[in-house]
Amino acid sequence: MSKAPGSDERTSVPHAADRHDLIRVHGARENNLKDVSIEIPKRRLTVFTGVSGSGKSSLVFDTVAAESQRLINETYSSFVQGFMPTLARPEVDVLEGLTTAIIVDQQRLGADPRSTVGTATDANAMLRILFSRLGTPHIGPPGAYSFNVPSVRASGAITVEKGAKKAVKATFERTGGMCVRCEGRGTVSDIDLTQLYDDSKSLDEGALTIPGYTTGGWNHRLYTESGLVDPAKPIRAYTKKELHAFLHHEPTRMKIAGINMTYEGLVPRIQKSFLAKDKEGMQPHIRAFVERAVTFTTCPECDGTRLAEGARASKIGKVSIADACAMQISDLAAWVRGLDEPSVAPLLTALQLTLDSFVEIGLGYLSLDRPAGTLSGGEAQRVKMIRHLGSSLTDVTYVFDEPTVGLHPHDIRRMNDLLLQLRDKGNTVLVVEHKPEAIAIADHVVDLGPGAGTAGGTICFEGTVEGLRASGTVTGRHLDDRASLKDAVREPAGVLEIRGASAHNLRDVDVDLPLGVLTVVTGVAGSGKSSLVHGSLPPGADVISVDQSPIRGSRRSNPATYTGLLDPIRKAFAKANGVKPALFSANSEGACPTCNGAGVIYTDLGMMAGTSSTCEDCEGKRFQASVLEHLLGGRDISEVLAMSVTEAEEFFGSGEAPTPAAQRILARLADVGLGYLTLGQPLTTLSGGERQRLKLATHMGEKGGIYVLDEPTTGLHLADVEQLLGLLDRLVDSGKSVIVVEHHQAVMAHADWIIDLGPGAGHDGGRIVFEGTPAALVAARSTLTGEHLAEYVGG
C-alpha cells in the first residue's frame, strides 16, 4: 500500500506554526525592572515569585498582560476604541509570542447595590430563563424575573408606513421583576431631616449640614436662588407650601442664577446623589453623613428579595426564584440536579456546571443574592474564575494575582487543581504567588529580586521547582521554611467574652477570646471567622480593627500623607529654611501651578477614557521650582518623597537630617515590612496586603488594647513572614492583645491560642470545632486545620 504523498514530511518535520511555543520578553524596564529578558513557556503553568516589591507584577501585569490587552484593543474599530482606555506601550524592547491575556485579579467587584454574585456570573441569567420556561403561574419572559428590570407600560399612536401613511393606536407593555418600592435594592431608606439642616437657621445663615452643600456653592445656590423659598427666613418658619417646595418638589427645569438647571426637592436629591451608591464605596466623610442621616431597613414590600410580587409568586415546585437565589449555592446545585425536564435539558446542564464550579472552587457557601461589594478580594477573584472554567477558549494566557489569598490549606489544593485544569486545556497560566504549596505545582518558576524596589527588578532564577530549591536565592532558601511549635505559650491576662454570636452563619456561638496573648482564629473559607471576629465583638471593647478594605483617598494620597509622616518632614524643611511649612505640600502653596501639585496633567475626554501625561513644567516633581531650591540635609522635598522607607529612616534617623518624629513613623513602616515603598507612591497602586500593613503601621501609634488583624500575611514573601511574627510578638509583649484571622500555618504554629471554626463552610460551618494551644491541635488532629498543621510542623 503506497503512502500518502508528503506523509513522511508531516511526521518527521515539525510544522512552522509549532515553533511559537515561547513568550519572549527582551529589555523590560517597566517600574523597577532592570532591562529584564526572559522566555516564558506557553501552555505551561509558570509561577512568578520574589519578595514584595521585587517586580513580579511589573513583569507579569504591567508588561506581558498590558501589551497583550493593548494589541487586542487596536484590532477594534476606531469608534469602539473611543470607549476604551488608552493604553501606553510598556517600557520594553521586544515582546514576541503573546496570546490573548485574561487577567483574573483581586480588584473587588463593583459596589453597586444591584450587583450580586448571581448577576456577576451567568448563574442569574440562566435561572431567569429556567423560571420563565418552567415557573407557574407563567408571568412573562426572563426579564420578568430580574430585579434590575422595571415594569413599563405606555400607550399612544404610532405611524405605520405602509402605502398611505396612517396612525395606529398601540400600547406597549414590558413586565419586569423589579420591586417598585425599593427599586431592586432590597432595602428602603428613611431620612432623618434633622441631620440635613438646622431648622433654627435660614439658608443664608448656613442651615444645610450636608457634605458638599456649603454656603455659596452650586448645591446651596440651587435653593437660595430658585425663588421658591425665602433664603433669609428660618426653615422652621416655612409655610407648608414652602417646605414642600424645599424638601419634596418634583424635578423641574428652570433658570437659576442665569443658568438652565433642574430644580428638585432636597430629599429626592439626597436619595439620588448619596443613596444610589453602596455605602462601602463612599468617601469616609460622606459615609459618616449617610450613617448619621439615613436608616436602611429591609423593604417591607419584597422582604429584601428585590423582586416584584409576580416574580415571587411564580414557582418551580415550591421554590421561587427568590428562594433559589437565597439558597447556599451547594444546596441550589443539588436542587437543580433534581430537576428532570427534557425541554430545557441543555440549560439545566449549563446551570449545573456553573453551580458545580462554585463548589469546586470553594465558594459553595455563598448564595447568588449575596451583594458583590461584600466579597473579599480573594472571593472576588474566585468568582471571576467561574466565568473562565467552563470557557471553550484555549491557547489564551490566564494571569492570576495570588489566587490562594483567603484560602485554607485544604482549599489551596482545590485551587491548584483548577489552575492545572486551565493549563491542561492548552492555556498558558501565569501566577504571581508566595505560598510554597502553590509554587510546588509549577512547570516553570521565575524568581525576581534579590530585594524590593530599587534593590529588585532582576531575574534571580528561572527553571524548575527543584532547581529553585537548590538555587540559593532568597525564595529558594526559604521554600522549605517551617515554623515550629513554641516550647512555651503565654498565659492569658483575662478574657473577652462573646456570647450567643449568630451573625451570618454563626450558630449561637459562645467563646472566650484570651487577652494579652497572640490568638489565631482559623477555619476553611466561609466557616464564620470574620463573622465572629468582626461582627460579634462586644460593643465598647477597646478594639483596633485592621482589615484589607481599600484605603479611601485620592490619587494625590501617598504613604507620607496617610501616616501623617509629611507633617514633621514639612516642619523640618520649614525650620531649616526659615519659610512656611505649607510651601512643602503639593496640595497647598508649594504646588506646581500647571498640574496643581498632581505631577501629571489629567485630560478628561468626556465620553472617552481620560488620559494622563507627566507635567512638563515640574517634570512630575509636583512642586514649584522655587520650592525645590530649599534643601534639608542636601535634599529637596521631591527627592525626599522619592526615597524608600528604608532610605528615609536612615536619612531622618542618624543621617543628615535627624527628625525623631519622622523617624518614629518610618520605623513602624519598616516594622510591618514596607521598607521598600517610596514615600510619595500613590495609594491607589498598593496591593490589599500592603494597604493592610500601612493601616497597621498607622494604628500602632494609637492607644488601643486589642488589635484585630485580617490575614496580615497576604502578599508577604516567605522571608517576610518571620519579620511579621516578630512584629506580632512585640505587640503582645508591649501589653496588647492580638487576634489574627489567618490561614498561614507559620502564624498558627506561632500562636499562643487557636480557635478553629467549621467543620465546613456556610451552613456546614459556624461552630467552634477546636479551641486550645497549637500543640493540642496538632496532637488531636481532630479538624482539617489540625491535620494540615500537623503535616506542616512534621508532627
Side-chain angles (χ1 to χ4, degrees):
M1 193 173 134
S2 62
K3 289 184 180 179
S7 60
D8 286 341
E9 287 85 345
R10 279 201 299 276
T11 52
S12 59
V13 180
H15 194 286
D18 295 333
R19 292 202 306 264
H20 301 280
D21 54 358
L22 293 170
I23 295 173
R24 292 184 179 83
V25 181
H26 189 79
R29 296 176 299 282
E30 197 67 28
N31 299 327
N32 68 331
L33 295 179
K34 294 173 181 169
D35 214 27
V36 164
S37 296
I38 186 175
E39 293 185 340
I40 304 165
K42 283 188 185 175
R43 294 174 285 281
R44 298 290 182 271
L45 182 102
T46 301
V47 171
F48 293 79
T49 186
V51 297
S52 300
S54 59
K56 303 181 297 296
S57 296
S58 298
L59 179 58
V60 180
F61 290 94
D62 301 342
T63 303
V64 176
E67 178 64 356
S68 171
Q69 290 204 311
R70 188 184 75 83
L71 293 173
I72 289 165
N73 286 3
E74 285 188 353
T75 65
Y76 299 126
S77 69
S78 300
F79 176 75
V80 173
Q81 285 184 48
F83 295 96
M84 299 177 131
T86 308
L87 302 172
R89 188 180 187 282
E91 279 283 314
V92 61
D93 294 334
V94 180
L95 266 175
E96 289 179 343
L98 291 178
T99 69
T100 304
I102 294 173
I103 297 174
V104 190
D105 60 16
Q106 289 181 42
Q107 288 296 320
R108 300 205 173 203
L109 294 167
D112 188 285
R114 293 201 192 93
S115 178
T116 64
V117 169
T119 61
T121 58
D122 289 334
N124 222 300
M126 289 190 275
L127 262 184
R128 293 199 300 268
I129 298 169
L130 185 68
F131 273 86
S132 72
R133 301 281 169 82
L134 303 183
T136 52
H138 177 77
I139 58 165
Y145 296 88
S146 170
F147 53 76
N148 285 326
V149 178
S151 292
V152 177
R153 287 176 186 81
S155 60
I158 60 171
T159 302
V160 180
E161 293 191 10
K162 204 173 183 182
K165 291 182 183 177
K166 58 178 182 177
V168 179
K169 275 279 187 188
T171 57
F172 169 78
E173 196 167 307
R174 180 184 71 193
T175 304
M178 180 186 283
C179 169
V180 179
R181 174 79 188 273
C182 65
E183 295 185 349
R185 291 191 182 93
T187 57
V188 287
S189 54
D190 195 15
I191 296 177
D192 180 359
L193 298 179
T194 62
Q195 297 294 332
L196 304 188
Y197 56 81
D198 179 350
D199 69 355
S200 66
K201 294 180 179 176
S202 69
L203 290 175
D204 284 346
E205 292 168 336
L208 296 179
T209 55
I210 307 161
Y213 283 70
T214 48
T215 308
W218 271 113
N219 285 327
H220 186 261
R221 291 175 68 185
L222 186 71
Y223 296 97
T224 57
E225 301 185 28
S226 65
L228 297 175
V229 294
D230 182 353
K233 186 158 78 171
I235 292 173
R236 65 171 56 155
Y238 282 5
T239 62
K240 267 190 179 176
K241 188 177 176 184
E242 283 178 313
L243 199 59
H244 179 269
F246 177 51
L247 292 178
H248 303 290
H249 201 286
E250 62 282 352
T252 309
R253 292 292 288 174
M254 59 170 67
K255 196 161 254 186
I256 299 173
I259 299 169
N260 285 325
M261 297 178 73
T262 299
Y263 176 92
E264 67 181 324
L266 192 62
V267 169
R269 194 170 163 84
I270 293 293
Q271 284 172 329
K272 283 177 189 168
S273 57
F274 291 132
L275 306 189
K277 298 173 191 164
D278 185 68
K279 270 201 301 186
E280 295 308 308
M282 295 174 178
Q283 290 176 293
H285 69 292
I286 304 280
R287 191 170 12 162
F289 162 73
V290 170
E291 283 168 354
R292 266 196 332 269
V294 185
T295 53
F296 292 93
T297 52
T298 302
C299 174
E301 189 111 339
C302 66
D303 201 22
T305 62
R306 307 157 178 254
L307 290 160
E309 188 181 355
R312 300 196 308 273
S314 179
K315 298 185 178 182
I316 298 174
K318 293 183 178 177
V319 175
S320 70
I321 192 166
D323 300 331
C325 289
M327 282 183 196
Q328 186 167 305
I329 288 172
S330 54
D331 296 341
L332 179 60
W335 178 73
V336 171
R337 201 173 282 114
L339 295 176
D340 183 18
E341 186 56 57
S343 65
V344 288
L347 175 66
L348 287 173
T349 305
L351 179 57
Q352 188 67 60
L353 278 170
T354 301
L355 296 174
D356 286 345
S357 294
F358 273 101
V359 179
E360 274 178 48
I361 212 164
L363 293 177
Y365 59 89
L366 295 177
S367 59
L368 293 183
D369 63 3
R370 168 89 174 259
T374 65
L375 298 179
S376 69
E379 285 171 333
Q381 186 178 29
R382 281 176 276 149
V383 165
K384 290 174 194 173
M385 268 187 90
I386 302 287
R387 299 173 190 164
H388 306 301
L389 289 172
S391 168
S392 307
L393 288 172
T394 63
D395 240 334
V396 298
T397 300
Y398 285 99
V399 186
F400 291 93
D401 183 12
E402 284 194 72
T404 59
V405 162
L407 288 184
H408 187 272
H410 169 70
D411 298 315
I412 289 176
R413 290 182 181 175
R414 290 206 268 191
M415 175 59 75
N416 283 349
D417 290 342
L418 292 166
L419 294 173
L420 293 171
Q421 260 182 49
L422 282 173
R423 178 204 66 186
D424 293 346
K425 280 173 68 176
N427 298 306
T428 306
V429 182
L430 309 182
V431 183
V432 172
E433 193 49 88
H434 293 295
K435 295 265 174 72
E437 303 99 312
I439 296 170
I441 64 163
D443 301 309
H444 188 70
V445 181
V446 178
D447 188 23
L448 283 99
T454 52
T458 60
I459 304 290
C460 298
F461 170 83
E462 51 179 319
T464 62
V465 178
E466 286 311 311
L468 175 68
R469 202 169 254 120
S471 68
T473 66
V474 176
T475 307
R477 289 200 307 274
H478 289 274
L479 200 57
D480 293 316
D481 276 5
R482 295 292 181 266
S484 53
L485 297 172
K486 293 197 288 197
D487 296 329
V489 294
R490 302 177 184 91
E491 287 299 317
V495 294
L496 183 66
E497 294 183 355
I498 293 177
R499 295 290 178 265
S502 54
H504 299 124
N505 66 330
L506 294 178
R507 303 197 173 186
D508 207 23
V509 167
D510 294 343
V511 66
D512 291 336
L513 295 173
L515 298 176
V517 298
L518 174 59
T519 304
V520 169
V521 179
T522 188
V524 295
S527 58
K529 304 180 296 297
S530 295
S531 301
L532 180 69
V533 173
H534 294 298
S536 308
L537 289 177
D542 185 15
V543 172
I544 289 175
S545 182
V546 187
D547 60 15
Q548 292 186 30
S549 60
I551 292 170
R552 308 293 172 191
S554 70
R555 50 199 171 201
R556 290 170 172 274
S557 305
N558 53 50
T561 57
Y562 182 78
T563 57
L565 170 65
L566 203 55
D567 290 336
I569 291 177
R570 282 199 305 250
K571 285 173 185 166
F573 264 97
K575 190 175 176 185
N577 293 281
V579 291
K580 288 192 296 185
L583 277 178
F584 302 99
S585 169
N587 298 325
S588 186
E589 291 181 29
C592 163
T594 309
C595 63
N596 291 323
V600 289
I601 305 287
Y602 292 99
T603 310
D604 186 3
L605 299 177
M607 66 173 218
M608 292 164 63
T611 62
S612 62
S613 54
T614 304
C615 173
E616 291 179 2
D617 281 14
C618 67
E619 296 176 341
K621 292 181 178 176
R622 306 175 63 193
F623 294 91
Q624 297 173 23
S626 58
V627 173
L628 300 180
E629 290 170 11
H630 299 302
L631 304 179
L632 176 69
R635 307 282 186 103
D636 66 44
I637 183 71
S638 72
E639 289 172 327
V640 167
L641 290 175
M643 286 181 182
S644 68
V645 168
T646 310
E647 285 176 76
E649 191 181 4
E650 191 181 324
F651 181 75
F652 289 110
S654 55
E656 299 147 84
T659 311
Q663 203 271 337
R664 279 195 297 273
I665 297 171
L666 288 161
R668 292 202 294 267
L669 285 167
D671 248 0
V672 297
L674 293 178
Y676 59 91
L677 281 190
T678 55
L679 305 187
Q681 183 175 337
L683 292 186
T684 48
T685 63
L686 301 188
S687 69
E690 285 169 337
R691 284 194 289 260
Q692 188 188 23
R693 297 201 292 284
L694 185 60
K695 285 185 197 174
L696 176 58
T698 308
H699 288 308
M700 277 165 63
E702 297 176 8
K703 289 192 161 49
I706 303 170
Y707 280 79
V708 175
L709 308 182
D710 191 359
E711 291 192 64
T713 59
T714 299
L716 272 190
H717 186 265
L718 298 161
D720 298 324
V721 172
E722 204 174 322
Q723 185 182 6
L724 176 75
L725 295 177
L727 169 66
L728 297 177
D729 277 342
R730 285 197 297 282
L731 280 171
V732 174
D733 294 340
S734 69
K736 313 284 187 193
S737 304
V738 180
I739 300 166
V740 183
V741 175
E742 190 53 87
H743 296 116
H744 201 296
Q745 294 102 316
V747 182
M748 292 183 209
H750 200 72
D752 299 306
W753 194 257
I754 284 189
I755 294 170
D756 192 12
L757 280 101
H763 60 50
D764 298 324
R767 292 191 287 266
I768 305 283
V769 291
F770 176 85
E771 48 183 323
T773 63
L777 178 61
V778 167
R781 294 194 184 208
S782 56
T783 68
L784 278 171
T785 307
E787 287 172 25
H788 284 281
L789 186 59
E791 191 182 313
Y792 176 83
V793 298

